[in-house]
Amino acid sequence: MPRIATVFDLDGTLADSITLIQETISLAITDAGHSAQGHTIRAMIGRPLDVMLSELTGHDVGHDNINAMIKAYRTAYFPAVEEAGASLLLPGVPDMLERLRAAGHAIGVVTAKTTPGAEHLLEIIGIRHLVDVLVGTERVQHGKPAPDSGLLAMEELAVDASETWYVGDATSDMAMAIAAGMKPLGVTTGVADRDELLAAGAVAVAETPAEVASIILGSRESVTR
């Protein structure tokens, strides 16, 4: 049988980190003399940080002010993650990953975080050992919703798009999955609700990690019967 895989977003999908990110971005923007509504920031989480900050403040990507806000964000974010610790792990995630691995799925993570930031969070929440391939946004030319990071993950996992699910909580996740030819599965544990995810192209939407595993494994069983 072909090699199969499930690739996940990180924030809002495996980690309950959306509120922490929103608050830290808001602080970095405010300290730089800008302002943005919390719901506006939240809706953009899942896209590369420099792109988010550019759209929120009007500065071009690469501008000194953007770079300063990124530095301020990371200075506050990493200690906040350390303080929150394992509480950032979404309930049911380890069991979900174990079920998928037991069924023969390779596991990947594709995130708008940098690879070091993603490594740090995965270690903090205790699931790094369950992830076979990790692609941070700095590893590709174009971050989500472009397909680049999804394509790289599939290349490193040695899987075809037709045999690969992508699970995420944001509409940008669904857009990336579709652009890369992956099967998009939405989860309501992060920034987007069911209707938004379906409108963005999700083939199904789950409310819990257990439901994610059941949808993916049930789909596989229906194909192979």
Side-chain angles (χ1 to χ4, degrees):
M1 292 181 62
R3 182 169 165 85
I4 54 179
T6 302
V7 182
F8 292 88
D9 173 53
L10 179 51
D11 295 303
T13 301
L14 302 176
D16 188 15
S17 47
I18 297 298
T19 298
L20 189 153
I21 293 170
Q22 175 188 320
E23 291 173 348
T24 311
I25 288 176
S26 179
L27 179 63
I29 289 173
T30 300
D31 287 350
H34 299 276
S35 63
Q37 296 293 321
H39 64 86
T40 302
I41 296 171
R42 191 179 188 89
M44 297 176 68
I45 293 173
R47 300 173 63 187
L49 180 60
D50 57 348
V51 174
M52 287 179 59
L53 290 171
S54 174
E55 293 191 13
L56 289 166
T57 65
H59 295 296
D60 292 335
V61 171
H63 191 282
D64 287 347
N65 288 353
I66 296 292
N67 294 334
M69 283 184 276
I70 290 172
K71 182 177 180 180
Y73 167 82
R74 291 177 177 159
T75 298
Y77 174 77
F78 281 93
V81 169
E82 296 271 353
E83 182 177 352
S87 69
L88 293 175
L89 178 66
L90 279 165
V93 163
D95 288 344
M96 171 188 67
L97 297 178
E98 295 283 11
R99 281 180 65 191
L100 291 170
R101 289 174 67 90
H105 285 246
I107 301 296
V109 168
V110 163
T111 175
K113 282 181 159 17
T114 63
T115 302
E119 291 273 10
H120 179 248
L121 180 55
L122 288 167
E123 291 287 354
I124 287 289
I125 62 178
I127 60 171
R128 180 62 184 91
H129 64 291
L130 298 174
V131 176
D132 300 303
V133 164
L134 170 60
V135 176
T137 197
E138 89 289 353
R139 296 190 59 201
V140 295
Q141 184 174 1
H142 303 292
K144 299 178 189 178
D148 303 33
S149 48
L151 294 171
L152 178 57
M154 289 189 289
E155 178 183 341
E156 295 188 351
L157 288 165
V159 293
D160 292 332
S162 63
E163 296 294 335
T164 306
W165 286 86
Y166 186 76
V167 184
D169 67 294
T171 58
S172 58
D173 293 322
M174 303 301 99
M176 185 211 73
I178 292 167
M182 307 158 94
K183 292 176 280 191
L185 174 57
V187 287
T188 58
T189 49
V191 298
D193 62 27
R194 176 177 294 272
D195 290 343
E196 290 169 331
L197 292 163
L198 289 171
V203 298
V205 176
E207 295 184 0
T208 65
E211 190 179 355
V212 168
S214 294
I215 289 170
I216 292 171
L217 298 179
S219 172
R220 184 71 181 175
E221 288 168 3
S222 68
V223 168
T224 56
R225 281 183 187 139

